[in-house]
Amino acid sequence: MEKKTHIPAAYLRERFAPVLFYVIEACLFIMVAALYGYEGVLANMTYALGLAAFFGGCFLVWDYMRYREKYKVLTRILSAEERSDALPQTASGMERAYQQIIVAQEAEKKALVTQLDEKQQNMADYYTMWTHQIKVPLSAMDLLLQNIDAAAGENESKTANGGGNMQTVKQLREEVFKTGQYVDMALNYARMESISADLSFVRLDVGELVKKALKKYWLLFSGAGINLHLEECHAYVVTDGKWFSFVVEQVLSNALKYTKEGSISIYGTDESGGCVTKGCSYLVIEDTGIGIEESDLPRIFERGFTGYNGRLENKSTGIGLYLCRQIMDRLGLSIRVESKRRRGTKVFLGIAQEAILTKM
């Protein structure tokens, strides 16, 4: 192992000074004896120095064995091969002081991490509570607008401005719906860290999930004046219906947001562009909107990245596609985007291969 081969070199570097001091001291004794011509003393001194060198060598071997074991323990802790709260025992006062400093810093770190976790949990709990509470007045507003819409329809023939009132009510309902979607996004963002505990995988019909999402967004489709091309797709995917539907809805929301005119198409495809014989690999949501700058494509799944379109339109939060990527990763599925500026966007959502596609 590479780390073990460094132990002798590390030991010699640390013990080099005392060994060098012994060698210099021995040389000085021999030089003094030789200069004064103490031949008998020189022989005896050489013998004594040899014995000292032998016992000193034995001590170095014993000391090296202790050093190596301690080095291995520290290396395992450092490389995370072994987790231990107890550092190796030592008889050195200096090492004990260093260990006390390390233990104190570790305790301080754990306290800070615990405090940070508590703050994050409190913040997540607050956002969760807020999103649930804000949905109550939003639902009440939507119900009131529906009542106003119904009343305006009854009085349309009697009031000259009836059509204008209905249009205003419709616009208000669209804004309430969009607000509700942003609230759902905030709730899902707060739940992202604990999504694993919320997953429930079942075999689902992708086509049915798409239809539910379109029914939910039909209010926005009817007001946008955009054509919808839907191919009947009976592909099946093993996933969590709630989270996968959120991804589909978020992609639809982006398509509606950045498509001023033209159409949105939803269909299944495989790697070769077909889907009938080989089965669907992807659910594709394609629009004819403003597209994405080529330089922005590598970063569109980053948190907070809005890109050229976000700065131009001032509509992007930089959270939607980030959430989509995070959710798809946790579902074990894929998501990718193909787009060209002013030529639309294609979003590919990976699904299971078992599929039958029938065009309407």
Side-chain angles (χ1 to χ4, degrees), residues 106-326:
E106 184 68 18
E108 183 179 358
K109 176 186 174 182
K110 289 181 179 179
L112 291 175
V113 170
T114 302
Q115 185 178 6
L116 179 61
D117 290 341
E118 290 178 355
K119 288 183 178 180
Q120 290 179 340
Q121 185 61 45
N122 291 336
M123 185 65 68
D125 292 341
Y126 170 76
Y127 278 121
T128 302
M129 178 188 67
W130 179 85
T131 50
H132 282 297
Q133 288 180 339
I134 201 66
K135 280 188 174 184
V136 176
L138 285 174
S139 300
M141 290 167 62
D142 185 59
L143 182 60
L144 290 172
L145 288 171
Q146 291 180 26
N147 294 335
I148 295 174
D149 196 5
E154 294 177 358
N155 298 328
E156 183 178 0
S157 58
K158 303 178 182 179
T159 307
N161 196 31
N165 290 335
M166 291 183 65
Q167 182 65 25
T168 301
V169 170
K170 184 178 180 181
Q171 292 176 353
L172 287 173
R173 290 181 63 189
E174 290 179 2
E175 296 305 317
V176 169
F177 177 81
K178 292 177 183 178
T179 304
Q181 296 309 111
Y182 285 124
V183 169
D184 287 338
M185 183 186 297
L187 179 60
N188 288 326
Y189 183 79
R191 289 175 174 174
M192 184 55 58
E193 293 301 324
S194 59
I195 183 177
S196 298
D198 190 43
L199 295 178
S200 176
F201 288 90
V202 293
R203 187 172 179 269
L204 298 172
D205 188 332
V206 175
E208 292 300 319
L209 293 176
V210 171
K211 289 179 181 178
K212 289 180 181 178
L214 290 175
K215 183 178 180 181
K216 185 176 180 179
Y217 275 78
W218 189 250
L219 178 65
L220 298 185
F221 270 100
S222 62
I226 298 174
N227 296 323
L228 173 64
H229 301 294
L230 174 64
E231 293 183 355
E232 188 69 21
C233 179
H234 296 292
Y236 292 91
V237 59
V238 177
T239 188
D240 182 279
K242 181 182 70 173
W243 289 100
F244 187 81
S245 295
F246 172 80
V247 174
V248 174
E249 292 170 6
Q250 182 59 42
V251 175
L252 283 174
S253 176
N254 286 347
L256 285 165
K257 186 187 301 183
Y258 294 109
T259 304
K260 305 297 183 183
E261 57 184 11
S263 63
I264 294 176
S265 302
I266 304 174
Y267 54 92
T269 185
D270 59 14
E271 297 291 348
S272 63
C275 193
V276 177
T277 58
K278 297 182 179 180
C280 297
S281 301
Y282 301 97
L283 173 68
V284 183
I285 301 177
E286 179 180 359
D287 64 65
T288 59
I290 61 177
I292 303 173
E293 289 285 346
E294 185 177 357
S295 59
D296 290 343
L297 280 175
R299 300 187 59 193
I300 57 175
F301 293 111
E302 295 181 10
R303 179 173 57 185
F305 180 75
T306 57
Y308 176 80
N309 291 340
R311 293 187 293 271
L312 182 66
E313 299 289 332
N314 197 25
K315 295 180 179 180
S316 177
T317 61
I319 297 297
L321 286 179
Y322 165 77
L323 284 176
C324 289
R325 164 60 65 82
Q326 296 298 313

Side-chain angles (χ1 to χ4, degrees), residues 336-350:
R336 62 183 176 90
V337 175
E338 295 178 1
S339 182
K340 290 185 178 180
R341 183 70 180 160
R342 298 187 181 90
R343 297 181 64 178
T345 301
K346 292 182 181 180
V347 180
F348 295 79
L349 303 179

